[in-house]
Amino acid sequence: MREMTRLLLIAAVMFALAPAASAQQRGVVTGRVTDAGTGSPLVGASVTVSGTALGSLTDQQGEFRITNVPPGPREVTASLFGYGQRRQAVTVAPGGTATANFELQQTALEIGGVVVTATGQEQRTRELGNTVSEIIVDDVALAPVTSMSELIQGRSAGTVVLQSSGTTGGGSRIRIRGANSMSLANNPLILVDGVRVYDAEERLGFEVGGQSPSSLNDLNPEDIESIEILKGPAASALYGTAAANGVIQITTRRGRAGMTDVRAWSEYGILERAVEFPENVLTIGTLEGGSAPTGRCDLIRRALGNEGAAGTVCTGVTEEFRYNPLEAPTSPLRDADRKVLGASVSGGGQDATFYVSGEYEGETGLLPQNDLRRLRMQANASGTVGDNLDVGVNISFLESDIQIPQSDNALFGIFPMGLYGLPTPDNVETNDGFLADPQFAFDWMTFQDLSRFTGSVQSEYRPISWLALNGTVGLDRYAREEVNRLPRNTVYGAFGPPFQDGFIQNFDYDIYNLTANGSATAIFDLTEELVSTTSVGSQYLRETLHRVYAFGSVLTPGVEESLAGATAFHDAFEDNTLNATVSAYAQQRLGWRDRVFLSGALRGDQNSAFGRNLGWVWYPSFSASWVIAEEPFFPQSSALSNLRLRAAWGQSGLRPGPTDALQSFGPVIQPVAATGEASPGIVFDEIGNPDLRPEVVTEWELGFESGFLNDRLGLEFTYFNKTSRDALVSRPLAPSLGASTSRFENLGKVKNSGVEVLLNAQALRTSDLALDFTLSGSTIKNELIELGQDAEGEDLPDIVFGLLGDTQRHREGFPLGAWFHLPITGFSDENGDGLLSPAEVAVDPDTVVFLGNPFPDRELSISSTLSFRDWFRVSALLDYKGGHEIMNFTHMSRCELPNAVCSDMYDLSTPLDVQAANIAWNVYGSMAGYVEAADFVKLREVAITFSLPQSLVQRVGAVSGLNVTLAGRNLATWTDYSGFDPEVSFAGQANFNSGDAGTLPPNKVFTIRVDANF
């Protein structure tokens, strides 16, 4: 590593001292890039000089200027996402200026753009052997988008985004091409302007029932220019360890040379419940032969007849109770709204540009004690020093305050208590309690306050025309405080310690992510037709986390908001973790006639989480791309107007946890036998694993892009196949070792394979109207191939987990986290009375069976945009997920005896299969009847934007643009799922734990937004 660094420094000095006379002979290429259909300037188009490292982006007028161009004949290329690439030959005279103007044609075939690679250089999409999804934020109506995860949702084939609940501030689970690991996180790596940022999907130390904020949603969609999604190791190999789950690269907004643009936006929205909540029901009847004359009269008791024992047979209903605490006037559910107010200023000249923005966001949730307040600021600046050095600085700041309610499976969650409470008058807390004790809904308080700073400095130095030196240094610093507080004298005190007389819990986090990248890229012509691009580089990543926890109970009156008031049940601990990675990489690319491209790369990583016996880990990759439509032999036809073939293979990794490989000790205080006095000592805590390796994921993909009808219809198809080997499994250890009972070992193997399809269509293009459609979808098969063996060579047993401990498991031959339980083997209404008794339902009591997949194995989204001149635009997004199941714990809990409140337990018209499910659970302990198909279609977004026509803008001197957008989100759901919403998860963004357990469904959101440019 030191030798490589020295070589790079020596090379940089040598090139910097290149003769000045040579620079004086170089020329300039200038020009303008416009839309071929409208003639309007195209901002942000990439213009490059082939065979060199020279390039530029167009400004607000679509103009560009490239300096230091070697004299002679040159080929200049203009590229922009959504447009076809164009090339032009120019001759650059020594010290002269050549002009190249481009008219780019809009296309439905997405191979004309550029992406940023791991080396820091831009690369044209046509050169890649793998697919990359790109989201241009200006093409998205932001009014219905309230978070970063919603910005991604439904816009990338193979990227599944599932919203966990309707809790304000809650997150979403993001899975790209399935789950790779049983034990490690499966969320993608997040990079912002080349800097790795803290990307935890779950970000809450306390148990509030399951919901948790996500770090991804700290990012502001307003400040993002583009998002690139690299879907697997075939694309992310150069990002090394931690990139196997895919990479989301985010580029923030930049200023463009031209007039200063001042933009302001304001948004107001309301949140509404998407469903009506059911009544709680209870029927009372006469019990035959029982000690009490009346009791609960459910369908099971009514069906027993002569089979029932004394006190279990209901001979007739005498009274029925119905009450709906969540729909009643005393319901703690409230009106909810959101407010956004922001502004930005951008602009600059040829030598320097800037972008500065600020935004306030506030949202009130439907549940009490659920609020969000965010203040975001962004400042980006870039400039050119001389003719060969570009420098950029990016700074963002976030101040966030979130209050998170008790809900889902929380013991005292307001929403589940309303769903599960008996409707009888004497059940005060879940019936009249919302009216009798309004403070009840506000006693338990959980806060999360954080400050986040992300900053980076980027540079590109071009000492000579064919060499570029890139460097990035950045820091993501994250300070977070969490407080969980229960005051004195609440109804919870009846449960005794630690609830009695109140308590306070505190978590304090201090997290630093440091990124340092350096690379050198040489681009030159080997022959007139063959271009070589060689890159070498190194990277250093350092992630540190410091956490302090404190707890205290029995609060002193008057000192109930500080741990200083806690007088009993004290507890505290402190964590410090470090994860550091040093890497080196090299890549060689060849381009022949700008239509055939080959690439090979190798990255090596050394990580502090690897076992001490492990050295460097290497990740190779190869790719090929052939734009076959540009070959002379390809038939020229408007029907099949374009075709590119591609293939890629690569490896990347998932690192173990920071301490998984380490041997550690713990403190202990034990009495000495001789004296009986306590004496401190140490014991083994973790035995460690010196051979622990990263999980290595190998992927290959094949695909093509084809254009039809002069590229007005574009089709992209990809098949991928990836295998995770050395998957971490917690392997049991012999108790005789005197340490932990298990440790992580590299034992497992997981496979994901599937297809992805993207179809873009320019259905209508006239001077007045434009109608576009995009269809994207994917299928995936996820399977655990091997779980591993124990020390005696025996196959390891299933890994079992879930809400009640045994509803999900990792089992060989099935999807990760699959639903398993005792099956209902049959039921029959033998006496024909419309009621099932326990004797008429059969359950296998010994063997659990596969019941379904917790994650979708197919997804499809359809989006459409209709524009009329520059007056208005209508857009919509339809989203489908399917092939998966969800455990309806909510219904199971409502139907659980002895306090069942679901109508299915009392209504004589209840279908037999529902009766069988209730009997299987209440009598035989089987939850199989509550696993339901979770396929759904959602109308995710509808937005209508009215714009002030340019003919009127010219008459209003102060305003250069005015847009008003009316939008809605989650407007409709079509599903056969019997619960509230098939998308929810009581466990928030947990790796695999899932299910519907008293979970507030996603809300409908209606917004009005005003954007103005000055």
Side-chain angles (χ1 to χ4, degrees), residues 847-869:
T847 306
V848 298
V849 299
F850 172 68
L851 299 174
N853 186 353
F855 296 113
D857 61 17
R858 55 184 181 266
E859 54 92 20
L860 181 71
S861 66
I862 302 174
S863 61
S864 179
T865 302
L866 173 66
S867 302
F868 177 71
R869 296 184 178 177

Side-chain angles (χ1 to χ4, degrees), residues 235-376:
S236 63
L238 272 180
Y239 294 89
T241 306
N245 295 325
V247 178
I248 298 179
Q249 294 191 141
I250 296 170
T251 300
T252 57
R253 291 188 182 273
R254 302 289 189 270
R256 306 296 184 195
M259 295 182 61
T260 299
D261 178 48
V262 179
R263 186 169 71 98
W265 59 91
S266 178
E267 180 180 310
Y268 177 77
I270 58 174
L271 285 64
E272 292 186 354
R273 288 185 286 132
V275 296
E276 296 295 324
F277 301 124
E279 286 185 309
N280 295 347
V281 180
L282 177 65
T283 60
I284 302 298
T286 302
L287 302 185
E288 185 177 86
S291 58
T294 60
R296 186 193 70 254
C297 197
D298 55 72
L299 294 186
I300 299 177
R301 285 184 168 181
R302 299 184 73 173
L304 281 172
N306 294 329
E307 302 172 11
T312 63
V313 179
C314 177
T315 60
V317 175
T318 59
E319 191 173 7
E320 181 181 71
F321 296 96
R322 290 180 176 270
Y323 188 71
N324 196 329
L326 297 175
E327 298 285 355
T330 56
S331 170
L333 300 180
R334 57 185 181 174
D335 295 333
D337 62 11
R338 60 179 276 106
K339 304 178 184 69
V340 176
L341 183 64
S344 69
V345 182
S346 64
Q350 289 294 333
D351 294 330
T353 61
F354 65 92
Y355 171 85
V356 179
S357 76
E359 182 187 81
Y360 168 80
E361 176 189 12
E363 184 171 302
T364 299
L366 288 171
L367 292 172
Q369 304 292 63
N370 186 203
D371 301 281
L372 177 150
R373 301 290 182 269
R374 287 193 181 116
L375 178 64
R376 297 178 170 116

Side-chain angles (χ1 to χ4, degrees), residues 180-184 609-611 614 654-657 659-662 686-696 724-734 737 740-750 784 786-794 796 799:
N180 296 303
S181 177
M182 290 174 279
S183 305
L184 303 175
F610 297 167
L614 192 66
L654 293 174
R655 63 196 177 193
T659 62
D660 289 344
L662 300 179
E686 299 290 340
I687 197 169
N689 184 355
D691 299 316
L692 196 65
R693 303 183 298 277
E695 299 186 3
V696 176
S724 174
R725 59 178 174 83
D726 293 336
L728 266 63
V729 176
S730 183
R731 180 176 177 178
L733 298 175
L737 293 174
S740 57
T741 58
S742 64
R743 74 174 183 180
F744 280 115
E745 297 190 8
N746 300 98
L747 302 175
K749 184 177 181 180
V750 180
L784 174 58
E786 295 178 9
L787 188 55
Q789 297 178 330
D790 60 21
E792 286 73 35
E794 299 292 332
L796 290 174
I799 299 175

Side-chain angles (χ1 to χ4, degrees), residues 109-444:
L109 188 65
E110 302 295 3
I111 62 171
V114 296
V115 298
V116 179
T117 68
T119 66
Q121 284 282 308
E122 288 186 342
Q123 186 175 359
R124 292 176 298 164
T125 307
R126 65 191 281 119
E127 301 177 24
L128 300 174
N130 55 270
T131 180
V132 175
S133 293
E134 186 164 10
I135 301 171
I136 305 300
V137 176
D138 283 343
D139 295 338
V140 178
L142 287 182
V145 172
T146 62
S147 65
M148 264 295 300
S149 56
E150 291 179 355
L151 182 59
I152 297 171
Q153 195 170 45
R155 293 186 171 89
S156 172
T159 303
V160 175
V161 181
L162 292 174
Q163 188 173 347
S164 300
S165 77
T167 301
T168 285
S172 300
R173 283 192 280 197
I174 300 177
R175 297 294 179 264
I176 301 176
R177 292 183 176 175
N180 296 303
S181 177
M182 290 174 279
S183 305
L184 303 175
N186 284 289
N187 56 295
L189 176 68
I190 310 296
L191 301 174
V192 178
D193 294 327
V195 175
R196 182 177 296 187
V197 299
Y198 182 65
D199 56 8
E201 278 192 328
E202 293 185 283
R203 193 188 67 196
L204 187 66
F206 302 123
E207 283 294 335
V208 294
Q211 300 309 316
S212 170
S214 169
S215 297
L216 176 64
N217 290 337
D218 289 346
L219 304 174
N220 188 4
E222 293 286 353
D223 292 327
I224 294 172
E225 189 166 288
S226 65
I227 300 171
E228 297 164 2
I229 301 178
L230 286 67
K231 300 178 183 179
S236 63
L238 272 180
Y239 294 89
T241 306
N245 295 325
V247 178
I248 298 179
Q249 294 191 141
I250 296 170
T251 300
T252 57
R253 291 188 182 273
R254 302 289 189 270
R256 306 296 184 195
M259 295 182 61
T260 299
D261 178 48
V262 179
R263 186 169 71 98
W265 59 91
S266 178
E267 180 180 310
Y268 177 77
I270 58 174
L271 285 64
E272 292 186 354
R273 288 185 286 132
V275 296
E276 296 295 324
F277 301 124
E279 286 185 309
N280 295 347
V281 180
L282 177 65
T283 60
I284 302 298
T286 302
L287 302 185
E288 185 177 86
S291 58
T294 60
R296 186 193 70 254
C297 197
D298 55 72
L299 294 186
I300 299 177
R301 285 184 168 181
R302 299 184 73 173
L304 281 172
N306 294 329
E307 302 172 11
T312 63
V313 179
C314 177
T315 60
V317 175
T318 59
E319 191 173 7
E320 181 181 71
F321 296 96
R322 290 180 176 270
Y323 188 71
N324 196 329
L326 297 175
E327 298 285 355
T330 56
S331 170
L333 300 180
R334 57 185 181 174
D335 295 333
D337 62 11
R338 60 179 276 106
K339 304 178 184 69
V340 176
L341 183 64
S344 69
V345 182
S346 64
Q350 289 294 333
D351 294 330
T353 61
F354 65 92
Y355 171 85
V356 179
S357 76
E359 182 187 81
Y360 168 80
E361 176 189 12
E363 184 171 302
T364 299
L366 288 171
L367 292 172
Q369 304 292 63
N370 186 203
D371 301 281
L372 177 150
R373 301 290 182 269
R374 287 193 181 116
L375 178 64
R376 297 178 170 116
M377 301 183 69
Q378 181 79 36
N380 294 342
S382 60
T384 300
V385 181
D387 291 330
N388 53 11
L389 177 62
D390 295 332
V391 179
V393 179
N394 311 294
I395 296 174
S396 67
F397 177 76
L398 166 72
E399 188 75 31
S400 174
D401 301 317
I402 302 177
Q403 187 170 6
I404 304 168
Q406 296 282 316
S407 190
D408 299 87
N409 65 318
L411 181 62
F412 302 113
I414 297 300
F415 185 62
M417 289 185 75
L419 291 171
Y420 305 151
L422 288 173
T424 54
D426 58 343
N427 192 359
V428 176
E429 285 308 331
T430 54
N431 188 347
D432 294 330
F434 296 147
L435 175 63
D437 183 13
Q439 185 59 35
F440 170 78
F442 299 90
D443 284 337
W444 201 306

